[in-house]
Amino acid sequence: VLGSPHWVLAPNLIHHLHVKPWADAGLEAWPATGLPERRPDVDFAGTLTERSHPFGDEVSLFPLTCFSFTNEVVVLHRPSRTLIVTDLAYNVPRSAPWSTRAVMRALLGYPGCQTTVLERMAMKRDLARREVSRLVDLPFDRLVLAHGDVIERDGPSALKQAFRWLWRNDV
């Protein structure tokens, strides 16, 4: 048994639709930067920063500023060596429905751990290089993605592979 939840995390400017019912049920809601302005209907406990969060020493947060469309906050759970991302990368499996695979092929260059065309076009490259390099150097093995299969081993290599375009000049 994991116990009762205390917090609900709105990890970026896109994934927040169900945060209000949880906040209304008594959980502390913690959003990415910019979300309180978009969701004045939610009573947020604070805004997630690298140093300001309620999750204790076992959890580290990495707010990303390289992609203002999402303002994603990446979560590292140190004891399990798990990095959790939302829309930073995708890992759609070959077993996904054909329609999903077709869309992902158009947007991502599927299969495997990838980023979308949107990230490739809109990320601030120099800042993204610094932030992604920092993530890749974190002490994690498992990469949990909101979209697609979990990568159980060698998560840093998968993430680096997804962002290989950052270090090329032709993209």
Side-chain angles (χ1 to χ4, degrees):
V1 174
L2 294 175
S4 299
H6 300 283
W7 312 286
V8 59
L9 172 71
N12 69 27
L13 299 178
I14 299 170
H15 289 273
H16 59 82
L17 295 179
H18 300 288
V19 72
K20 183 169 176 38
W22 288 103
D24 290 348
L27 274 68
E28 282 187 20
W30 288 83
T33 299
L35 191 55
E37 293 79 17
R38 289 187 182 190
R39 293 295 306 270
D41 60 315
V42 179
D43 185 22
F44 290 109
T47 299
L48 295 167
T49 69
E50 197 164 327
R51 291 184 178 87
S52 175
H53 64 82
F55 310 125
D57 293 338
E58 293 183 344
V59 173
S60 294
L61 300 183
F62 301 90
L64 304 180
T65 58
C66 61
F67 191 40
S68 61
F69 183 72
T70 63
N71 282 351
E72 181 158 341
V73 177
V74 174
V75 178
L76 174 66
H77 183 250
R78 291 183 182 285
S80 66
R81 298 181 54 87
T82 300
L83 192 73
I84 304 166
V85 302
T86 309
D87 291 315
L88 184 65
Y90 300 74
N91 189 33
V92 177
R94 293 181 192 276
S95 61
W98 72 267
S99 57
T100 301
R101 292 191 320 263
V103 169
M104 291 300 110
R105 187 174 306 278
L107 292 176
L108 302 173
Y110 161 91
C113 187
Q114 301 288 335
T115 60
T116 68
V117 172
L118 186 57
E119 281 100 355
R120 293 175 194 207
M121 291 182 349
M123 274 189 170
K124 299 170 191 162
R125 296 282 173 112
D126 289 338
L127 188 53
R129 283 184 195 103
R130 287 192 301 273
E131 290 180 346
V132 170
S133 292
R134 184 177 183 203
L135 295 177
V136 167
D137 287 341
L138 292 173
F140 74 99
D141 297 312
R142 181 182 300 112
L143 179 60
V144 175
L145 308 100
H147 303 285
D149 287 348
V150 171
I151 297 169
E152 291 291 344
R153 288 181 298 285
D154 205 13
S157 291
L159 194 58
K160 190 180 232 180
Q161 176 67 21
F163 281 93
R164 65 193 174 282
W165 55 269
L166 262 180
W167 286 271
R168 292 195 318 236
N169 294 326
D170 61 338
V171 181

